Amino acid sequence: MGARTQAQHATQELRDLSDDLTRLARAYVGTGDRKYRELYHQALGVLQGSQPRPANPTGRIYWDYVLAPDPARLPRTGSVQSREDAIRALGATAEELALLHTATQRASDVAAIEVQAFTFFDGLYPDETGKPTRRGAPDPEQAQRLLHNRAYNEAKLAIATPLDQLDQLLPARLEAELSQHQSRSADLSRVLMGLGGALALVLLAGFAVIHVQMTSPLARLASLSQSMARGNIAVRAPSEAGGEVGLLARSLNQLLDQVHANVTELKLQSAEIGRLKTAISTAQHAVEVAETSARQMEHELQTANEFKAKLLGLASHNLKAPLAEIETLSEMVLEDVRDQPQAAGQLDRIRNAARTMHALVVDMLELAARDMGQVSLDRTSVNAVTLLRDVLDQLTPQARQKQQTISHFHEGDCTVTADIRRLRQIFDQLIGNAIKFSPRGKPISIVLEGNEERVRFSVVDEGPGLTEHDRERLFGYFQRLSARPTAGEPSTGLGLALCKQLVELHGGRIGVETAGAGTGAKFWVELPKVPAPLN
């Protein structure tokens, strides 16, 4: 009987140890406290048979005592003998050993998941040999998911199946042994009744004592085992008897207490799982509603943007031709009324207004094409030096009107793969701005530099410079900066924004350097020799 009780204790010990590993693993991943990791590996050593199995005479979880503030209550150290060897020494059957081996292997599989969670939490990942020595970014969220997902919980539940089968085998074996005891007692009674007289009375008296002290408690234990097999764990065995029968009854009661506690905890966990499922379902529904709303808003916004771009392009295109005609006609009439100062002044204002509106319409058409994805680049090999000279030939007369001198310098191979028309726009915009915002008589310097990877174009002026506030808004749409054209030239507030877009379409960068207001400015553009395909 004592051997069977010890075997039953071994199965419960495996249940407790698996729960210990789960609690310690979740505690470490949840708090990061290294003491839980150290205790986990001690418990893992017990599972694998490399650490002594601690004695646990009270039925409490061993590692709870380790963490308790009163170390004096720590149970004594047990044996390093493996659990299977211990049960084999107690006379366990092959079927019982097979069930115990299956449960131990499943507990080891669960422990492998827990160890993997530690690697995510610590940022240690497998190298070429499979050892977790390669460092990376810690991922505590993944570690938590590994220890709380469905696969982990199912693996935990799988441990109990062979242990439950093992626990069901033990009562059956107890009943068989009790039956043997009863049969032997009956045989002994018949032999004693054959004796005569006083010896018969003495033997009958002895049999009565044996029946009261052994057979009757064993019968009650057999009845209790049958009740347990039917799922009744609220019953308790009478523990008043002495000897091995009393020890068996008390051990059985401790086992029932532990089973009852585990069942209660499982019910609480099941209720918590139900609550979490409801919360997750509610959250998923809210996410689906939010995603649907976001998709609808995104569709509406895309439709509005497309309509805006089409409307802007249509309006700008219809305005472009009339404004160009107004500008041309005003110039023709202005030549005829040069001798009439008042009329000439009015026509000059009309011409300047038409020029300003025409430039704005052209820029707006460029913006509309960019927003609608209709900008394409006809890339070819361009000598930037030759293109720059061509642009300067067109802009030099404007500089001469303001008594400005433009010097230019080039160095290295300045051949670049680009759209020549768009590159001309970039040069024209930056040089034109330098002429427009530089005071009369101030010089302007232009530099072209090329190497194996890029071409750098820069324009330096001695104009009003830029404030910190100007630099924050420099490349935005319709921005009015602190500096103003020095000869009343028109400015749409779109030129630098379009220039930036064209540079970025070529895979390049644009920027400005200035020491502040009144110090001039240096605008620069860097273009790769061979840019990536247009996205």
Side-chain angles (χ1 to χ4, degrees):
M1 293 301 175
R4 302 297 177 257
T5 303
Q6 294 178 40
Q8 202 167 24
H9 275 307
T11 62
Q12 184 59 37
E13 178 192 57
L14 183 56
R15 295 177 192 267
D16 292 344
L17 185 56
S18 177
D19 290 341
D20 290 338
L21 289 170
T22 296
R23 296 178 186 180
L24 293 171
R26 288 177 174 174
Y28 174 64
V29 170
T31 65
D33 193 335
R34 300 290 297 185
K35 68 179 180 181
Y36 292 112
R37 184 185 175 93
E38 294 172 0
L39 292 177
Y40 176 87
H41 284 291
Q42 293 182 30
L44 184 60
V46 174
L47 176 66
Q48 297 171 345
S50 62
Q51 293 284 341
R53 292 188 295 115
N56 193 7
T58 64
R60 294 281 303 277
I61 303 301
Y62 171 78
W63 306 102
D64 289 346
Y65 283 102
V66 176
L67 296 172
D70 182 12
R73 300 182 62 192
L74 188 66
R76 65 185 182 274
T77 301
S79 170
V80 292
Q81 186 182 25
S82 70
R83 193 170 296 100
E84 291 176 337
D85 290 341
I87 292 186
R88 185 181 291 108
L90 296 174
T93 65
E95 183 181 7
E96 291 171 344
L97 287 173
L99 290 173
L100 182 62
H101 178 75
T102 300
T104 303
Q105 182 59 47
R106 292 180 180 179
S108 298
D109 294 341
V110 172
I113 299 175
E114 295 160 352
V115 172
Q116 184 183 11
F118 287 177
T119 63
F120 282 105
F121 186 82
D122 296 334
L124 292 175
Y125 299 94
D127 55 15
E128 295 76 9
T129 64
K131 296 181 180 180
T133 60
R134 183 169 58 85
R135 288 203 164 272
D139 192 354
E141 289 81 7
Q142 177 64 13
Q144 289 280 3
R145 285 193 292 269
L146 282 176
L147 297 181
H148 292 86
N149 62 18
R150 180 177 179 179
Y152 179 83
N153 291 330
E154 288 178 350
K156 284 286 295 180
L157 291 174
I159 299 172
T161 302
L163 291 179
D164 290 340
Q165 295 174 0
L166 183 57
D167 288 339
Q168 290 175 3
L169 289 177
L170 292 175
R173 294 187 61 184
L174 287 174
E175 291 178 17
E177 293 177 5
L178 289 173
S179 177
Q180 291 179 2
H181 279 288
Q182 289 174 340
S183 176
R184 292 173 183 175
S185 298
D187 292 341
L188 182 60
S189 298
R190 286 191 294 271
V191 172
L192 293 174
M193 291 178 64
L195 299 177
L199 182 59
L201 293 176
V202 172
L203 291 177
L204 287 174
F207 175 77
V209 172
I210 292 174
H211 181 75
V212 171
Q213 294 184 354
M214 184 174 180
T215 306
S216 181
L218 288 176
R220 282 182 285 178
L221 286 178
S223 176
L224 176 63
S225 298
Q226 294 174 352
S227 181
M228 288 173 56
R230 291 191 295 270
N232 184 8
I233 60 174
V235 297
R236 292 297 180 269
S239 57
E240 64 275 4
E244 290 187 355
V245 175
L247 177 61
L248 175 61
R250 289 188 290 272
S251 299
L252 187 59
N253 286 340
Q254 289 180 359
L255 176 61
L256 288 172
D257 290 338
Q258 186 63 46
V259 170
H260 186 270
N262 290 340
V263 170
T264 302
E265 183 176 354
L266 286 175
K267 289 181 178 179
L268 293 175
Q269 291 178 357
S270 177
E272 179 65 13
I273 290 173
R275 187 188 66 80
L276 290 176
K277 285 183 177 179
T278 302
I280 291 172
S281 177
T282 303
Q284 287 177 339
H285 177 70
V287 169
E288 291 173 358
V289 172
E291 288 178 347
T292 302
S293 178
R295 286 194 295 269
Q296 182 178 357
M297 292 178 63
E298 182 180 4
H299 176 71
E300 293 175 355
L301 180 60
Q302 183 178 359
T303 302
N305 282 336
E306 292 175 354
F307 177 74
K308 177 207 70 174
K310 291 179 181 178
L311 183 62
L312 179 61
L314 180 63
S316 300
H317 187 271
N318 290 336
L319 288 173
K320 185 178 179 181
L323 288 173
E325 186 175 0
I326 291 172
E327 183 179 352
T328 302
L329 291 175
S330 62
E331 289 179 350
M332 294 173 57
V333 176
L334 184 59
E335 294 296 327
D336 296 334
V337 295
R338 289 291 185 187
D339 56 344
Q340 302 177 31
Q342 184 175 3
Q346 296 292 339
L347 284 171
D348 189 53
R349 284 195 291 272
I350 292 173
R351 183 188 63 181
N352 289 338
R355 284 179 177 175
T356 301
M357 293 182 65
H358 185 265
L360 179 61
V361 166
V362 171
D363 289 346
M364 290 174 67
L365 282 172
E366 292 283 355
L367 282 176
R370 178 77 173 94
D371 289 343
M372 294 174 67
Q374 296 177 350
V375 174
S376 61
L377 297 182
D378 184 13
R379 291 191 174 106
T380 185
S381 180
V382 180
N383 188 325
V385 176
T386 302
L387 179 62
L388 174 61
R389 288 171 179 167
D390 189 24
V391 173
L392 288 177
D393 288 342
Q394 298 181 10
L395 294 179
T396 298
Q398 299 179 22
R400 287 175 180 170
Q401 290 179 3
K402 299 178 70 173
Q403 300 176 357
Q404 298 168 341
T405 59
I406 301 178
S407 61
H408 65 279
F409 170 80
H410 67 87
E411 180 180 21
D413 180 14
C414 296
T415 302
V416 64
T417 301
D419 186 317
I420 189 170
R421 184 172 69 88
R422 300 297 185 180
L423 187 56
R424 182 188 296 273
Q425 284 182 260
I426 295 170
F427 287 177
D428 184 80
Q429 180 66 47
L430 295 181
I431 299 173
N433 276 359
I435 297 172
K436 185 185 302 182
F437 290 96
S438 292
R440 183 179 297 275
K442 293 294 184 179
I444 298 171
S445 300
I446 301 173
V447 177
L448 263 176
E449 301 171 284
N451 58 27
E452 295 181 355
E453 298 180 353
R454 61 172 178 77
V455 171
R456 182 181 175 91
F457 166 74
S458 57
V459 181
V460 182
D461 63 49
E462 297 183 9
L466 298 167
T467 65
E468 189 65 31
H469 186 57
D470 289 338
R471 297 182 66 174
E472 294 175 356
R473 302 179 297 139
L474 187 61
F475 296 104
Y477 297 149
F478 302 105
Q479 297 297 327
R480 293 293 183 181
L481 308 181
S482 60
R484 293 287 184 269
T486 56
E489 296 96 332
S491 177
T492 64
L494 290 173
L496 285 177
L498 289 172
C499 192
K500 183 175 185 293
Q501 289 187 358
L502 292 176
V503 170
E504 291 177 347
L505 281 173
H506 283 81
R509 301 187 305 142
I510 185 172
V512 63
E513 299 173 10
T514 178
T519 62
K522 175 182 178 181
F523 282 84
W524 57 265
V525 171
E526 288 185 352
L527 298 176
K529 282 292 188 72
V530 181
L534 177 64
N535 183 1

